Amino acid sequence: MGAAFSRTMASGAVAAAVAGGVHRALRSRPRPRWRRTNHAGRAVDLYAGPAAVLGAAAGTAVLPLPARTRCAALLAVLAAGGCGAYDDLAGADDPRRGFRAHLGALTKGELTSGAVKLFGIGAAGLAAGALLKDRPVDRVLAGTVIAGTAHLVNLVDVRPGAAAVTVLALGAPGLPGEGLAAAPMGAVAALVADDVGERTMFGDTGVHALGAALGVAIVAGRGRAVLLAHAAGLVAAAAYGDRISRAVRTLSDR
């Protein structure tokens, strides 16, 4: 128990140190493409995104995990972060949001950056699920949970601090296990003050990577019944995504 706790703490500490260091380094050399105006009209940067990706990846890398589990976690985090970064940069001026908008554009022959993100993260989730599970049904469920959790964190990222609180709340129950949740939680802990202070944003880059990391933490060591329950809940969340985002806005603005 003591050794497991120490490994978990070390993972979180490494994730926090890397995320904080990367964020400071990026802010020292600002680039216009990574600047945005938030919901309140304030100018913020998107550097928390790549910082969260690298922090979560570093925290995962130091855990003593089976090779397939480590590869699955790193694949999910880096692929989700990469797809999110593509959408952050290529889709910066695209007002369309949500599955329906991007799939609707696809039916008209237009491949949006949001659609690339959607299919890319879905494929990465299935690939990670295939590394984590042996049976085809379990692999599909695992992939659904990983991609669905990435999407869920994105849904709540409509106000400062909302994504961070979600990551910490979803990750805490998984800490006593293999410790995979410690990496995204550590990365968030290093960046949450700047996020809440409206100096930075996680953007699609960060929220999808953090969500995918949480998805892997949920999947690892869980049986089919648990995966099925999580997958069903995440599919329902995706179906009612607009309502979830509106609810977060309403609660945050009170």
Side-chain angles (χ1 to χ4, degrees), residues 26-192:
L26 291 174
R27 294 190 74 184
S28 70
R29 302 182 66 181
R31 297 175 182 273
R33 293 186 70 191
W34 289 87
R35 300 289 295 179
R36 293 293 185 274
T37 301
N38 72 0
H39 75 285
R42 297 186 178 92
V44 299
D45 65 58
L46 290 174
Y47 297 140
V53 174
L54 295 177
T60 299
V62 301
L63 284 169
L65 299 167
R68 288 178 60 171
T69 303
R70 179 180 288 108
C71 288
L74 292 175
L75 169 64
V77 169
L78 296 175
C83 290
Y86 177 74
D87 194 29
D88 274 334
L89 298 177
D93 299 321
D94 190 345
R96 289 170 292 194
R97 295 290 183 270
F99 285 157
R100 293 182 183 88
H102 294 297
L103 293 178
L106 192 61
T107 61
K108 299 174 183 177
E110 180 184 0
L111 181 63
T112 65
S113 61
V116 171
K117 178 185 69 177
L118 171 64
F119 292 119
I121 294 175
L126 289 172
L131 288 169
L132 291 166
K133 300 296 178 182
D134 296 322
R135 296 174 182 252
V137 172
D138 295 333
R139 289 176 170 180
V140 172
L141 289 173
T144 301
V145 171
I146 293 167
T149 308
H151 181 59
L152 176 63
V153 178
N154 182 52
L155 285 177
V156 303
D157 186 38
V158 292
R159 290 293 185 270
V165 168
T166 301
V167 169
L168 295 174
L170 292 178
L175 287 177
E178 293 183 321
L180 279 162
M185 292 176 70
V188 162
L191 302 166
V192 64

Side-chain angles (χ1 to χ4, degrees), residues 39-40 158-160 162 198 245-254:
H39 75 285
V158 292
R159 290 293 185 270
E198 299 186 55
S245 297
R246 283 199 300 270
V248 173
R249 290 190 189 96
T250 300
L251 291 172
S252 300
D253 292 342
R254 285 182 177 176

